[in-house]
Amino acid sequence: MPEATTVHTTSGAGVQLADGYFQGYAVVGLLAAIGVIFVAVAFGAGRLLRPVVPTPEKLLTYECGVDPVGEGWAHTQVRYYVYAFLYVIFAVDSIFLFPWATVFAATGFGAATLVEMFIFLGFLAVGLLYAWKKGVLEWT
């Protein structure tokens, strides 16, 4: 802990700050500056050391090893995004099961935690049922 000095507000002497107050900020600022310098040196070294031989093949848009054909705009169906969104929702929600298991094991929290988790799983089940009824989960 930094030691605080006395604050003089009378007789116009001014305010003295705590000893070492800015020392913590100076350390953070120094580390940030070192980090920025390190990244700048790394990018500069990469720019100086890499070979620069532009060819028409290197300037083509590369997409999974397939040469680009046609326009740059491609139509993608929304259902792929819906599948990804549903996966993310259920994957993130499943993460909540691990803390629940540790609280459920603690004494005195069993019944309340069990009820809360069934409410939570009920909301997930209603969301999945809604997606199923809307036909979102059909791959056609």
Side-chain angles (χ1 to χ4, degrees), residues 103-128:
V103 171
F104 181 71
T107 57
F109 292 103
T113 307
L114 188 63
V115 169
E116 289 173 357
M117 186 46 63
F118 275 117
I119 291 171
F120 177 72
L121 291 174
F123 280 123
L124 290 179
V126 167
L128 185 61

Side-chain angles (χ1 to χ4, degrees), residues 25 37 77 101 107:
Y25 290 111
I37 291 170
Q77 295 187 11
T107 57

Side-chain angles (χ1 to χ4, degrees), residues 51-131:
V52 181
V53 185
T55 62
E57 290 83 18
K58 289 182 181 179
L59 297 176
L60 279 177
T61 304
Y62 183 78
E63 194 169 321
C64 301
V66 179
D67 290 333
V69 177
E71 297 180 11
W73 294 96
H75 297 285
T76 304
Q77 295 187 11
V78 175
R79 69 172 172 243
Y80 301 124
Y81 295 110
V82 173
Y83 288 127
F85 187 64
L86 286 173
Y87 171 75
V88 168
I89 288 173
F90 286 104
V92 169
D93 289 340
S94 67
I95 293 172
F96 289 114
L97 296 175
F98 294 107
W100 169 75
T102 58
V103 171
F104 181 71
T107 57
F109 292 103
T113 307
L114 188 63
V115 169
E116 289 173 357
M117 186 46 63
F118 275 117
I119 291 171
F120 177 72
L121 291 174
F123 280 123
L124 290 179
V126 167
L128 185 61
L129 182 65
Y130 177 78

